[in-house]
Amino acid sequence: MTKLVKNIREAIELSGLRDGQTISFHHHLRNGDFVLNMVMEEIADMGFRDLTVNASSLFDCHRPLLTDIENHVVTRLMTDYVSAGIGHAISEGIMDTPVEFRTHGGRAADICSGETPIDVAFIAAPSSDPMGNCTGKFGKSACGSLGYAMPDAMHAKKVVVITDNLCDYPLQGWSIPETCVDYVVVVDAIGDPKGIVSGTTKITRDPVGLVMAKNAAKVIKASGLLKDGFSFQTGAGGASLAAASFLKDMILKEGICGSFGLGGITGYMVDMLNEGCFKNLMDVQCFDLKAVESIKNDPRHIEIAADQYASAKARSSVTDNLDIVILGATEVDTDFNVNVHTDSTGYLMGGSGGHSDTAAGAKLSMIIAPMFRARLPIVCDHVAAVSTPGKDIDVLVTQGGIAVNPSREDLAEAIKAAGLPLIGINELKAKAEALTGKPAPLAHGDKVVAKIIYRDGTEPSPIYSVK
């Protein structure tokens, strides 16, 4: 009654991994993850070549992967997000084959459909029993939900669970069952808790951010969607959380109760649940310690898999029932296309994640962003990379005014009737450029270093190397 093997190397040997195959990792341990690096160190030492790494996201802690790319241990990369530490090297052309960026829902959909098969999945599990029943809800490396690992575990040909907290069989409250798992490895530590989750996620105190947040909440109220049974998702950024704070005040004042809060869950969303703003939270990833504690103890805080969260190929997904989402942007163009992949110099430093999925599903998809950053206007003629197409964006809220997609005349009328500062997107662009000057066009190299694969399989724009 055990699937325990003595170490990672033995698990790799037993998995039957061969050159040219695909391995996968999940990112719930975020910038505290040890597992990807531990596995890749063994794989490189064993002499494997030409592997594909399919990782739900990559952080600065994964920079040793760049050595594996240089040495052709890894020749193909699929992911939903990269931080700047890896993104800059990709932008400078480290890979011969373009990186494939999917959305969180798109990655899950393609794994489940067999479009991107996985030969061996490595699951970092904060707690597991000897048969592989595992969870992220408790243990010294607790991360909360394991939603992004679930499609990998369900559909990979071989599954290896790596844990630093071995529990008696059967583990109670598992996230991934033993029926999905082939081997279990116990190590000293799967991650650094300081990098896995933050202690707190803070609301902005910046006056500009607070102006945007207050107007964002007023737009939501004007939309008519703020009523009993509404559903809501917001990010972990300071302005987004401030908007949620203003929204909470409206909800409590009017005695409204929403159906669910969705997404990567923060402690602030937990507070909203506990104060009666929602009946449930639907959680694919925990962002902080309060969220981890909540999903462990509160049955209203529900763990969901990435395909249930946002797959466009599933029979249904939670994003299909989402009313309101608040999102960010690196830049927005005059057609409302949004870039969250590259920075102002063209370097990769992000990815869609759930951005495109939620924008497509929500009845009201809102971007909150300042008019300019570092004296560069947020609105441009053409974004450097189309992360989320403009057809899925309803409104842009800045401190200089609120721009509504022309396809949403109903929303523009509601905002105007509410007395909010409505402005055309081209007028907003001109207003920002009057303060900052018109930036020079971004020059890029000739090499395609990455391609964005939208959630429906289309490829809206390639990403080129930096000049």
Side-chain angles (χ1 to χ4, degrees):
M1 290 294 294
T2 183
K3 296 175 184 174
L4 288 171
V5 297
K6 61 185 178 183
N7 53 37
I8 292 173
R9 179 178 287 248
E10 183 179 8
I12 294 168
E13 291 170 345
L14 290 170
S15 74
L17 182 67
R18 300 191 302 274
D19 289 351
Q21 290 191 331
T22 298
I23 58 177
S24 78
F25 302 91
H26 66 95
H27 74 279
H28 291 288
L29 303 185
R30 300 177 64 78
N31 204 37
D33 177 45
F34 293 167
V35 168
L36 186 148
N37 292 342
M38 288 192 296
V39 171
M40 292 310 305
E41 184 177 0
E42 288 292 342
I43 281 175
D45 189 58
M46 294 168 74
F48 287 99
R49 306 277 290 180
D50 298 323
L51 296 177
T52 295
V53 168
N54 186 334
S56 53
S57 292
L58 294 166
F59 292 85
D60 283 356
C61 66
H62 299 129
R63 278 179 288 191
L65 185 64
L66 297 175
T67 300
D68 297 317
I69 292 169
E70 289 174 336
N71 294 335
H72 299 283
V73 177
V74 174
T75 53
R76 189 179 178 202
L77 191 60
M78 302 176 181
T79 190
D80 308 341
Y81 171 96
V82 294
S83 63
I86 292 177
H88 281 210
I90 294 170
S91 292
E92 291 171 357
I94 192 173
M95 298 200 71
D96 295 329
T97 302
V99 175
E100 296 177 21
F101 278 98
R102 287 173 173 79
T103 69
H104 281 330
R107 177 182 186 270
D110 285 353
I111 289 172
C112 294
S113 69
E115 182 75 18
T116 54
I118 295 170
D119 294 292
V120 187
F122 295 92
I123 309 295
S127 291
S128 177
D129 66 28
M131 299 303 291
N133 296 299
C134 60
T135 185
K137 295 174 185 174
F138 59 91
K140 66 180 182 180
S141 304
C143 61
S145 175
L146 290 183
Y148 292 121
M150 291 177 181
D152 305 51
M154 289 290 293
H155 296 279
K157 294 173 186 175
K158 294 291 182 180
V159 175
V160 179
V161 164
I162 301 174
T163 188
D164 56 11
N165 184 38
L166 187 66
C167 305
D168 292 336
Y169 181 91
L171 178 81
Q172 295 181 357
W174 62 73
S175 304
I176 295 170
E178 63 188 293
T179 51
C180 297
V181 178
D182 295 285
Y183 311 108
V184 178
V185 182
V186 181
V187 297
D188 292 336
I190 62 170
D192 178 0
K194 293 179 182 177
I196 294 170
V197 289
S198 61
T200 58
T201 309
K202 296 181 179 179
I203 294 172
T204 184
R205 295 179 180 274
D206 173 50
V208 170
L210 291 173
V211 168
M212 294 189 298
K214 184 174 289 187
N215 281 337
K218 290 178 179 178
V219 168
I220 292 171
K221 184 176 181 180
S223 74
L225 294 170
L226 195 62
K227 55 188 177 182
D228 282 337
F230 80 97
S231 54
F232 176 68
Q233 177 170 335
T234 189
S240 297
L241 290 177
S245 176
F246 289 120
L247 194 65
K248 183 180 77 170
D249 292 340
M250 293 178 183
I251 293 168
L252 296 176
K253 182 179 179 180
E254 298 184 20
I256 294 168
C257 182
S259 174
F260 63 88
L262 177 64
I265 298 298
T266 63
Y268 196 80
M269 292 288 280
V270 172
D271 290 340
M272 292 180 75
L273 173 70
N274 291 332
E275 292 181 49
C277 297
F278 304 111
K279 292 181 179 178
N280 300 280
L281 296 178
M282 308 278 270
D283 191 344
V284 72
Q285 175 184 199
C286 293
F287 275 123
D288 58 27
L289 294 170
K290 184 178 283 189
V292 172
E293 189 67 18
S294 173
I295 201 171
K296 175 184 174 183
N297 296 313
D298 191 338
R300 300 173 301 168
H301 191 156
I302 304 164
E303 183 178 26
I304 59 172
D307 53 325
Q308 183 180 3
Y309 170 50
S311 170
K313 296 179 181 178
R315 291 181 176 90
S316 69
S317 61
V318 184
T319 54
D320 296 335
N321 291 307
L322 184 61
D323 289 322
I324 303 155
V325 64
I326 297 176
L327 301 164
T330 302
E331 57 181 359
V332 182
D333 68 25
T334 52
D335 291 321
F336 286 84
N337 298 308
V338 176
N339 175 18
V340 290
H341 277 82
T342 66
D343 65 15
S344 59
T345 60
Y347 276 98
L348 281 161
M349 42 58 71
S352 179
H355 196 288
S356 301
D357 299 313
T358 53
K363 293 182 180 70
L364 175 64
S365 57
M366 174 188 296
I367 302 294
I368 297 182
M371 287 174 62
F372 47 84
R373 293 191 184 99
R375 297 197 63 78
L376 288 173
I378 193 76
V379 180
C380 59
D381 291 321
H382 303 286
V383 291
V386 179
S387 307
T388 297
K391 66 181 179 64
D392 293 335
I393 301 299
D394 297 309
V395 59
L396 167 63
V397 178
T398 75
Q399 77 273 33
I402 300 165
V404 177
N405 193 315
S407 67
R408 291 298 310 271
E409 291 182 9
D410 60 322
L411 182 61
E413 288 298 321
I415 290 171
K416 185 177 180 181
L420 296 173
L422 196 64
I423 189 171
I425 189 89
N426 288 290
E427 185 184 351
L428 183 61
K429 175 177 177 287
K431 186 176 181 178
E433 289 176 352
L435 297 171
T436 65
K438 188 174 178 66
L442 180 67
H444 59 71
D446 298 325
K447 181 179 181 180
V448 175
V449 296
K451 56 183 181 179
I452 298 170
I453 301 173
Y454 187 57
R455 66 195 306 267
D456 63 2
T458 58
E459 298 179 22
S461 66
I463 299 175
Y464 290 93
S465 57
V466 292
K467 186 74 172 178

